[in-house]
Amino acid sequence: MKDNAAAGRKDVAPDRRNPAPDRQNTAPDRQARAIRLGRRSIAALLLVSAVGVMAFGWPLLASSASGLAHSQDAPWLFAALLPLLLAVVVAAIADAGLDAKAIAMLGVLAAAGAALRPLGAGTAGIEPMFFLMVLSGRVLGPGFGFVLGSVSMFASALLTGGVGPWMPFQMLAMGWVSMGAGLLPGPDRLRGVREVLMLAGYGAVASLLYGTVMNLQGWPYIGALASGVSFVPGDPLSENLARFVAYCLATSLGWDVPRAVVTVTATLALGPTVLKALRRATRRAAFDAPVTFGEAEACGEPVACGEPPGRPARAPAERRRAV
């Protein structure tokens, strides 16, 4: 009877080596980040974003009395300046902690995005790469998302032959799209249907805004044309803004809306699977794991160099006898 009671007490004794199941379930699921942005990286991102706003919106921001509003070289000036700034930002972010594992993941995702873009580019605005950029930015963070969006657009331009003065603007706009996904709320807690719905809504808005800002890039080039939707240097802001809205409705709305529809559809259909795969890859990559150098230990005993794990280190005299 005593043995049975002791055995019963042993069976119900708590296992101190493993935490309680309820504690495991309530532990926060902290999402890993491929790149941790430092002060220099954040400052570089803010700088290139500010210059990008000027590069896209100078026709609406420049006053009628400024020389910039009447200059035909302004689009080319910004097209030459943006690649240099993007290179500085990518270098600053890479210097902040872009290790070999992050570079490998960046290469895989950028290649996938570059391969997805030609599947629908130029056909009614069907661009399936947008949903991948949004999901990747969500999982891997804003810093990685900005680099991924810029590099993917650069690689796809080389793949499709779409290299021109518009390419730096496309790289910056796609970097903003992916970076914005990484800045969405609840990266550690929000999961399931609510997260997918949030990403689908963001993807729709980002797809429409991408087309709008890219219209700002190309709109000044048709300023010399006699059209009611063209940019007129020196005209008041209200008149140029009305022309720009008419230009968007007449030229790009048929591409922007299908792009948003494709992004929402792909996010709702493939989002849970892709998010799970990306998070599994980040866990296995262990971006947040600290790298330490020291004497390894196994079973509480130090392990010497060349010794198999689990066997204590032998003294020098014992090693000489073994040899």
Side-chain angles (χ1 to χ4, degrees):
M1 294 295 291
K2 293 182 179 179
D3 294 339
N4 295 335
R9 287 195 299 270
K10 184 177 181 181
D11 292 339
V12 299
D15 189 0
R16 297 181 179 179
R17 292 175 298 177
N18 297 325
D22 55 347
R23 293 182 181 178
Q24 289 182 347
N25 294 336
T26 58
D29 185 13
R30 186 173 179 272
Q31 184 167 289
R33 287 287 186 262
I35 301 176
R36 292 292 178 181
L37 294 178
R39 294 181 179 179
R40 185 170 58 179
S41 303
I42 294 175
L45 275 173
L46 293 176
L47 174 62
V48 75
S49 297
V51 175
V53 170
M54 295 177 58
F56 279 110
W58 70 267
L60 301 177
L61 299 176
S63 63
S64 58
S66 65
L68 185 63
H70 298 275
S71 176
Q72 298 296 326
D73 298 330
W76 301 99
L77 174 63
F78 285 115
L81 180 62
L82 278 179
L84 300 177
L85 292 175
L86 286 171
V88 171
V89 172
V90 172
I93 293 176
D95 186 62
L98 191 63
D99 58 4
K101 296 179 290 185
I103 292 176
M105 184 167 289
L106 175 65
V108 171
L109 293 175
L116 284 174
R117 192 183 180 204
L119 297 179
T123 307
I126 301 175
E127 297 185 62
M129 73 175 295
F130 270 75
F131 95 97
L132 180 61
M133 298 296 104
V134 170
L135 299 182
S136 300
R138 169 66 174 177
V139 173
L140 295 166
F144 188 93
F146 183 86
V147 177
L148 174 62
S150 302
V151 173
S152 300
M153 191 58 70
F154 177 76
S156 66
L158 297 180
L159 184 64
T160 59
V163 179
W166 55 84
M167 186 183 69
F169 294 89
Q170 291 177 333
M171 293 171 60
L172 180 60
M174 186 59 72
W176 282 341
V177 169
S178 298
M179 181 178 67
L183 295 174
L184 291 175
D188 299 329
R189 288 290 186 180
L190 189 60
R191 294 291 187 271
V193 178
R194 292 188 301 167
E195 183 183 31
V196 174
L197 291 177
M198 180 185 69
L199 292 175
Y202 172 80
V205 175
S207 300
L208 294 174
L209 291 179
Y210 175 86
T212 302
V213 298
M214 287 308 300
N215 286 338
L216 276 172
Q217 180 270 328
W219 185 45
Y221 288 104
I222 66 171
L225 300 178
S227 173
V229 297
S230 62
F231 170 63
V232 179
D235 269 18
L237 173 62
S238 58
E239 297 182 9
N240 271 327
L241 185 59
R243 294 190 187 97
F244 176 69
V245 173
Y247 173 78
C248 293
L249 295 176
T251 58
S252 68
L253 190 62
W255 276 261
D256 297 339
V257 172
R259 183 191 301 117
V261 171
V262 170
T263 303
V264 170
T265 304
T267 302
L268 294 177
L270 304 176
T273 303
V274 176
L275 288 172
K276 186 182 298 182
L278 289 173
R279 288 191 170 112
R280 184 185 302 116
T282 55
R283 285 195 300 268
R284 292 185 176 180
F287 294 113
D288 291 341
V291 179
T292 57
F293 298 92
E295 191 176 21
E297 293 185 0
C299 299
E301 297 290 340
V303 179
C305 296
E307 294 290 344
R311 180 182 300 176
R314 292 179 293 181
E318 185 181 352
R319 292 181 188 174
R320 286 195 298 267
R321 289 197 301 269
V323 174

